[in-house]
Amino acid sequence: MLSSSHSPVLSYLLWCLLLLTLASNNGAVATAKPQVGSGYKLVSLVQLPNGGGLVGCLQVKQRTSTYGPDIPRLRLFVKHETRERVRVQITDADKQRWEVPYNLLPREPAPPVTGGRVTGAPFTVAEYSGEELVFTYGRDPFWFAVHRRSTRQPLFNTSAGALVFKDQYLEVSTALPKDAALYGLGENTQPGGIRLRPNDPYTIYTTDISAINLNTDLYGSHPVYMDLRSLGGRGVAHAVLLLNSNGMDVFYRGTSLTYKVIGGLLDFYFFAGPTPLAVVDQYTSMIGRPAPMPYWAFGFHQCRWGYKNLSVVEGVVEGYRNAQIPLDVIWNDDDHMDAAKDFTLDPVNYPRPKVLAFLDKIHAQGMKYIVLIDPGIAVNNSYGVYQRGMARDIFIKLDGQPYLAQVWPGPVYFPDFLNPNGVSWWIDEVRRFHDLVPVDGLWIDMNEASNFCTGKCTIPKTHQCPIPDSKTPWVCCLDCKNLTNTRWDEPPYKINASGQTARLGFNTIATSATHYNGILEYNAHSLYGFSQAIATHKALQGLQGKRPFILTRSTFVGSGAYAAHWTGDNKGTWENLRYSISTMLNFGIFGMPMVGADICGFYPSPTEELCNRWIELGAFYPFSRDHANFASPRQELYVWESVAKSARNALGMRYKLLPYLYTLNYQAHLTGAPVARPVFFSFPDFTPCYGLSTQFLLGASVMVSPVLEEGATSVSAVFPPGTWYNLFDTTRVVVSKGGAPVRLDAPLNEINVHVYQNTILPMQRGGVISRAARATPFTLVVAFPLGAAQADAEGAVYVDDDERPEMALAEGQATYVRFRASVRGRAVTVRSEALMGSYSLREGLVIEKVTVLGLEGTGKDLAVQVDDADAAAVATSSPYFAAGGSAKLQGEEGEGVEDSKRSVSVEVGGLALPLGKSFTMTWNMQIEAP
């Protein structure tokens, strides 16, 4: 890191010295050796009119043959697309290359490839400046860099390594300061926590391989990273996206980062930040804002692969109700299907009349029902879905015929969601299924795409496939041969696919297969789940006229605009419990804030203690679902009484926090802000939290500190400086000064959840189903620093008709309320500003209580004004003051002590303030004599 005491100029000189050192030694930044590529030189550079950017021509310096011949001429395009974002694209100057389709990910178009003929004014200066970022370059050899305009802080610099650009191998490297904290480059399970570790492998290629595999390419492709650096005591962040859907290895060595990509083009986007929240705001403004989720999606979900008939499902719902454990959504894996065929019902175990009666019953209670569909369509001439797909010619092909694979129903074909006819066919099939069963959402799984076989396959003539009553239906039963005769199936450079340099087509679609208009699977592979999510979103939105809910396993840049995500097949172990936090936090950075892991583990059986601790953590995942494998023992939360107790406690708090979570959902949709966030999002200057992966924030100021170790009855937690109040018992207070760990009690059925000072937290009474919970009165929890004589706090709540497809503030359909509070000596003021209040007034939403934390004594002289009129008689029923209990302080020494203050809180109860009207409430604090 460049020392905080250096001037910007000196920092820049030191950076240059670092580059020279790296170029002269054997560091990883100098990986582009002459036998791989010798770089390019810039032979022309012009500036397009009307702010159109720069266009240049690059010419290879010396041709090489390793991994194929160099592309002789490249087109460089640079544009400051917004004040905080600059794009740098390098591609073939003479012919169009594959790139992520603009209809899937809408964005500003780059100029068409014209063979080097570009009209514009020659650009001869050394820098191309935007408002926040500056592009610089060298001519021979060509290199480029991006730095901040205000401080000249380098963000990305390729000058120490040669640019390599071949048809199936692209390489570029950047230098990094050794203490930059990097996050992202997924999807993978990172055992070291959320902060990327030097020399760990980062391969990006969508793969159906269990999430228990560490440092391996998993279900999603997100070639983006956030870089956080502490400069002068201030945390400064930016992000880099390489928009490319081809497989790639990314080598992070601590002082360098190298991309090795097997196709497409180099299309970099740089986001200036400078805060982590600003980075995600800028990133999602380009890739698409996170989809709005319905309110019920923030309730608790229960699923199991192995609910063999409807009676079992009904029993599960009854079990939750009897145990008084919250439950909003019941799911079916593929058990509801007829022989694992999409869009069908098993006529024996899930007969339609009984399913419809069951749905009428749970819908009347406010519950929802979601089922799974896989992309593979069973090859079966009596199956209408298959027949209609064949008639419309919508399947991916190999050698002119639909590509044959095997998944759960046996032989299958895969729909092509890049084909407009494939999309319209899918929309129609979803409509037909919804007419059969009015499900409330869809779960799209196995969409990497997963295939139990590899290569080119045929249906066997010597045995049945699927094998009847097989105990291992995931074992390939087709007749298959490996494909080795094309450069798409056997590219010259082998990425570390599946963590073992596997063939690109291993257990997926052959990479020489073709999509619509001849698009190669080699190029489009990692877009499959993304394109399916878009099609499914269109289907549900057009069908129901409601806000869609889709859960997808495979994701790409921009998937968050359409779907939620769960972290895939995890294991019921303490390690997997811990890993789930990092993966969840990464997806917030990726623009997919609605994310969670299978609570208690997908397989094998968890211990009772582990399931206790997992529901305590999982109750605070944005997407909270228990899901298990058919081979695992039953693990619904009511199975163990101790787990049921933990669930009632943790989910009880979640359901009280639903208005807060739903407001975070609204903020995510507006700005991309994650629901669950790394601690550094709110405290970027607090360097001890840069690698913190055992705690996280919900929103800006609610800290979750779970137990992650077997046998533990306490947890060592890190708190940024300030006052933190335990939400389960607000008399338990952490006062942090320097950020040293604090030892918190955590008996088996308890989890520590704290709210930070200067926060106003909207809460409700809770309940066992979200529809009822959201109608209960509100409590405002106002948190001041402990003992404050002068302080401010703020918060907000958003409520709406969550059936609406759009999540926008509109009169009669939604209300947004800002809350502010202040203490000045003994005088306390709490006020609200209600925007579009008619919806809340119609729904009868009221505030019944205000609890203020951090103040000593009790209150007197209460005055309330509603909408600038004295309306105490209307706005309150029988108001009262109540003092809270004595504070139990826990500081960094880890010792709890009884505070001398008589109380840590004051409650103003007996209120009936309409949420949809602005109000001002004032009172004075007093300390009564003992």
Side-chain angles (χ1 to χ4, degrees), residues 728-887:
F728 291 95
D729 178 359
T730 55
T731 67
R732 291 158 60 185
V733 185
V734 172
V735 179
S736 175
K737 297 178 181 177
V742 178
R743 178 64 61 177
L744 304 173
D745 289 337
L748 180 63
N749 302 118
E750 296 183 15
I751 182 172
N752 282 276
V753 180
H754 290 77
V755 63
Y756 188 55
Q757 65 186 39
N758 311 123
T759 300
I760 300 179
L761 193 63
M763 300 177 68
Q764 288 175 285
R765 290 182 182 177
V768 295
I769 194 165
S770 67
R771 188 173 75 177
R774 72 181 303 192
T776 61
F778 283 80
T779 292
L780 300 183
V781 177
V782 181
F784 289 128
L786 186 64
Q790 180 169 328
D792 299 284
E794 61 182 20
V797 70
Y798 172 87
V799 293
D800 73 353
D801 172 10
D802 71 328
E803 297 287 281
R804 293 185 305 133
E806 297 301 322
M807 193 179 207
L809 194 57
E811 192 64 71
Q813 298 178 326
T815 297
Y816 185 77
V817 186
R818 297 189 184 98
F819 302 107
R820 293 181 174 85
S822 63
V823 57
R824 299 292 185 269
R826 296 291 179 188
V828 181
T829 302
V830 180
R831 60 170 54 92
S832 77
E833 178 189 3
L835 306 176
M836 309 289 183
S838 61
Y839 171 79
S840 291
L841 294 174
R842 186 177 72 243
E843 296 297 314
L845 300 176
V846 298
I847 299 168
E848 66 175 350
K849 188 189 303 181
V850 176
T851 300
V852 180
L853 307 178
L855 303 185
E856 181 182 2
T858 187
K860 66 175 183 176
D861 307 327
L862 177 68
V864 180
Q865 284 193 333
V866 177
D867 277 348
D868 300 321
D870 186 1
V874 176
T876 66
S877 49
S878 52
Y880 63 84
F881 286 104
S886 298

Side-chain angles (χ1 to χ4, degrees), residues 89-417:
Q89 186 191 78
I90 301 173
T91 187
D92 192 324
D94 298 302
K95 68 176 184 178
Q96 193 74 31
R97 286 182 63 82
W98 166 257
E99 59 183 319
V100 176
Y102 281 79
N103 64 327
L104 288 188
L105 189 68
R107 57 199 188 278
E108 286 192 37
V113 171
T114 59
R117 297 179 299 277
V118 180
T119 301
F123 189 83
T124 57
V125 297
E127 296 185 346
Y128 176 51
S129 293
E131 293 187 59
E132 298 287 342
L133 299 175
V134 179
F135 171 84
T136 60
Y137 61 96
R139 290 183 173 270
D140 189 4
F142 169 75
W143 57 267
F144 75 89
V146 175
H147 66 253
R148 294 191 187 279
R149 182 173 181 174
S150 59
T151 64
R152 299 194 67 84
Q153 178 200 9
L155 308 185
F156 198 88
N157 190 312
T158 70
S159 62
L163 170 66
V164 182
F165 204 116
K166 300 162 187 281
D167 190 31
Q168 290 182 266
Y169 182 81
L170 288 62
E171 182 179 321
V172 65
S173 299
T174 179
L176 292 168
K178 65 180 180 180
D179 50 1
L182 268 58
Y183 312 89
L185 297 179
E187 177 182 7
N188 58 33
T189 300
Q190 299 171 193
I194 187 173
R195 183 172 178 175
L196 301 186
R197 295 191 306 194
N199 302 314
D200 276 359
Y202 299 99
T203 297
I204 300 176
Y205 186 73
T206 61
T207 305
D208 175 12
I209 184 170
S210 171
I212 68 173
N213 293 278
L214 308 181
N215 294 322
T216 302
D217 47 311
L218 295 179
Y219 313 107
S221 172
H222 295 274
V224 60
Y225 70 86
M226 181 185 292
D227 181 330
L228 177 61
R229 307 174 188 178
S230 180
L231 300 172
R234 176 171 171 251
V236 181
H238 69 275
V240 179
L241 166 68
L242 173 55
L243 185 58
N244 185 302
S245 63
N246 291 83
M248 67 181 77
D249 288 330
V250 184
F251 295 91
Y252 172 46
R253 304 301 191 202
T255 57
S256 68
L257 187 141
T258 299
Y259 298 89
K260 297 185 178 183
V261 193
I262 60 172
L265 42 75
L266 296 176
D267 201 358
F268 284 104
Y269 291 81
F270 300 90
F271 305 90
T275 67
L277 274 175
V279 165
V280 177
D281 185 5
Q282 295 153 18
Y283 181 59
T284 57
S285 74
M286 182 250 166
I287 67 166
R289 297 298 194 191
M293 296 291 154
Y295 199 95
W296 53 262
F298 288 91
F300 185 68
H301 303 242
Q302 178 62 53
C303 183
R304 177 182 172 83
W305 183 19
Y307 290 153
K308 289 302 183 183
N309 56 58
L310 184 61
S311 296
V312 176
V313 175
E314 292 172 320
V316 170
V317 174
E318 189 70 17
Y320 273 89
R321 291 293 169 256
N322 291 340
Q324 286 295 293
I325 300 172
L327 179 67
D328 259 78
V329 190
I330 188 72
W331 295 58
N332 265 126
D333 206 301
D334 66 2
D335 301 296
H336 67 285
M337 297 180 184
D338 179 13
K341 299 193 298 290
D342 279 350
F343 305 119
T344 65
L345 282 179
D346 183 326
V348 175
N349 295 311
Y350 285 84
R352 183 169 181 257
K354 290 187 176 181
V355 171
L356 294 180
F358 169 70
L359 293 187
D360 285 344
K361 179 180 178 181
I362 66 169
H363 284 158
Q365 299 168 357
M367 283 187 63
K368 306 297 180 181
Y369 178 59
I370 295 175
V371 299
L372 173 143
I373 48 176
D374 290 334
I377 301 300
V379 177
N380 185 323
N381 288 324
S382 65
Y383 175 36
V385 177
Y386 168 79
Q387 293 171 340
R388 291 184 289 272
M390 289 296 291
R392 298 189 67 174
D393 191 25
I394 54 83
F395 295 113
I396 293 170
K397 291 183 168 61
L398 179 67
D399 298 332
Q401 299 297 319
Y403 176 75
L404 185 67
Q406 178 189 333
V407 200
W408 301 114
V412 299
Y413 294 156
F414 288 113
D416 181 4
F417 298 105

